[in-house]
Amino acid sequence: MSRRPRTTPIPVSPNRPGLVWPSAVDPTGLIGPTRAQSRTDQWRRTSVGAYVPADLDEALAVEQRIVSAAWPSLGVGVVTGWAALRWLGAKYLDEDTVHLVVPRTSYRAQPGISYSAERLADAETVVLDGLAVTGPLRSVTFAARFAADLAAAVKVLDRAAAADLVSLDEVRRSTTATLAGAVGVGQLREALGLAVENSWSPTETEMRLLWRGLGLVEVRCNTPIFDLAGRHLGTPDLFAPAVGMIGEYDGSEHLDGARRASDIRREGAFRRAGLEYVEMVAADRRDPRDFLARTTDALSRVDRSRWRWTLEAPPWWRRTETVAQRRALTSRDRQRLLGWQR
């Protein structure tokens, strides 16, 4: 039977139950593990000289990595990039390295932690639930500038906008006002031309960029489609209105009987309105060639004479496709209409 560590780590915040600050080695074993205890399977090292209990909640693993990365420079460093966006509420962001802004030459990078000495104004820092992070604009522009490639930069912009942390116009204005000549600003500007404000998952971003490679430039995410009588046909992951093409990602949750039946009914409604329909599955993410071939086949079947659909919503419909539209919602309407954000 495993033994609990003698030390009870300090919680990060009552608003983030389960997250704890790392502990340094303590010869007494009272405020941290002893040297011998730190070598057992009861503790896990997070950085040089820092440890957390090994049995922390796996569901909080990403957030705990962020906290643990911030600990070596606590009081000085400020979490930025994808990790700050995740702490602020953006979903699906997870990278191997947590980035922090620190005073110049104060710290050296170590596995899982990277330090930047970029200048940071006081107004660009917020403290949320015990952790100092850069605000949404500074976080997303940093993440997009230093992303591994253009697709990764687009994904992080999509995620920040989907969480209503930033609008793309706000990012454009900030880029023009404060980042002229900054490292990576070219990639940021290019990504802004490809990002959208209503992509609900990273997979939708991947699909959209794949379609763009086929020449489908205007692709909308999660836009509602109606029949000519004003009835809601559905809100697909992707829609290319110029060619009447729908794209959906079918993850494992779509295999549930009730969900699968609903998907089939919705596909039928789209096809009766004259729309073409292409599905992407997990295997297509590893090798998209067959998905692209299926899309090309579907494009060859486009028949505009059969179109019986419109994007014009009836008067009673409440639109939520942009950050501005979602920010204007009441708290009650946000709960009712934005379940995908939760």
Side-chain angles (χ1 to χ4, degrees):
M1 180 180 297
S2 65
R3 296 177 292 106
R4 292 288 301 176
R6 291 172 59 192
T7 301
T8 301
I10 299 173
V12 173
S13 167
N15 296 326
R16 308 269 179 158
L19 297 180
V20 300
W21 293 112
S23 302
V25 169
D26 173 29
T28 69
L30 297 177
I31 60 174
T34 64
R35 182 67 63 185
Q37 288 171 337
S38 72
R39 298 191 182 103
T40 70
D41 60 3
Q42 299 293 302
W43 294 87
R44 176 169 52 83
R45 196 179 85 156
T46 60
S47 59
V48 177
Y51 299 85
V52 295
D55 58 353
L56 293 176
D57 188 350
E58 282 297 315
L60 300 174
V62 178
E63 283 73 16
Q64 184 61 56
R65 277 201 297 115
I66 295 171
V67 169
S68 297
W71 185 81
S73 60
L74 196 62
V76 177
V78 181
V79 176
T80 192
W82 72 269
L85 292 170
R86 178 152 180 152
W87 194 260
L88 291 167
K91 295 169 61 177
Y92 304 120
L93 292 173
D94 180 11
E95 297 180 14
D96 293 336
T97 300
V98 176
H99 302 277
L100 293 102
V101 180
V102 295
R104 187 172 299 277
T105 69
S106 296
Y107 297 87
R108 292 183 178 180
Q110 51 184 303
I113 310 174
S114 175
Y115 297 105
S116 167
E118 287 196 336
R119 296 178 65 86
L120 187 64
D122 290 343
E124 294 179 298
T125 301
V126 298
V127 177
L128 177 65
D129 296 336
L131 193 65
V133 300
T134 52
L137 279 172
R138 182 59 182 263
S139 299
V140 74
T141 54
F142 183 97
R145 287 190 295 125
F146 293 100
D149 53 36
L150 180 61
V154 175
K155 282 184 181 181
V156 77
L157 286 167
D158 279 6
R159 302 273 47 81
D164 297 332
L165 296 176
V166 296
S167 72
L168 295 182
D169 279 344
E170 288 169 346
V171 179
R172 289 188 186 96
R173 290 194 296 269
S174 176
T175 300
T176 300
T178 65
L179 293 174
V183 175
V185 71
Q187 177 168 272
L188 169 59
R189 290 195 177 106
E190 189 173 357
L192 277 167
L194 301 174
V196 300
E197 293 189 346
N198 202 38
S199 175
W200 295 358
S201 74
T203 314
E204 293 174 7
T205 305
E206 293 174 20
M207 293 172 65
R208 195 175 76 248
L209 295 178
L210 287 170
W211 272 13
R212 189 176 184 87
L214 294 177
L216 297 175
V217 177
E218 184 195 356
V219 178
R220 304 189 184 194
C221 286
N222 302 294
T223 192
I225 304 173
F226 306 88
D227 67 16
L228 299 183
R231 291 184 291 266
H232 181 224
L233 296 174
T235 302
D237 295 342
L238 302 186
F239 183 53
V243 293
M245 175 77 69
I246 283 171
E248 294 274 27
Y249 179 73
D250 282 357
S252 58
E253 70 276 10
H254 289 262
L255 299 178
D256 173 76
R259 178 67 179 272
R260 187 61 183 160
S262 175
D263 288 347
I264 291 172
R265 286 194 297 270
R266 189 171 69 154
E267 178 183 350
F270 285 140
R271 291 192 182 280
R272 286 190 294 273
L275 297 167
E276 282 296 330
Y277 190 97
V278 182
E279 292 177 326
M280 185 182 198
V281 294
D284 296 321
R285 299 185 69 186
R286 296 187 293 271
D287 183 353
R289 288 176 294 182
D290 195 61
F291 170 69
L292 293 172
R294 297 196 302 272
T295 301
T296 301
D297 291 343
L299 286 170
S300 70
R301 297 191 297 266
V302 169
D303 182 358
R304 290 174 175 80
S305 69
R306 297 181 56 246
W307 285 4
R308 301 290 184 272
W309 58 270
T310 180
L311 294 180
E312 185 175 346
W316 53 267
W317 187 267
R318 192 68 183 269
R319 305 208 75 107
T320 61
E321 290 108 289
T322 69
V323 172
Q325 289 168 346
R326 294 192 293 268
R327 286 174 174 172
L329 296 173
T330 64
S331 296
R332 181 177 180 181
D333 281 344
R334 292 189 69 86
Q335 289 291 320
R336 182 171 62 90
L337 299 174
L338 303 182
W340 58 270
Q341 282 191 338
R342 298 190 294 278

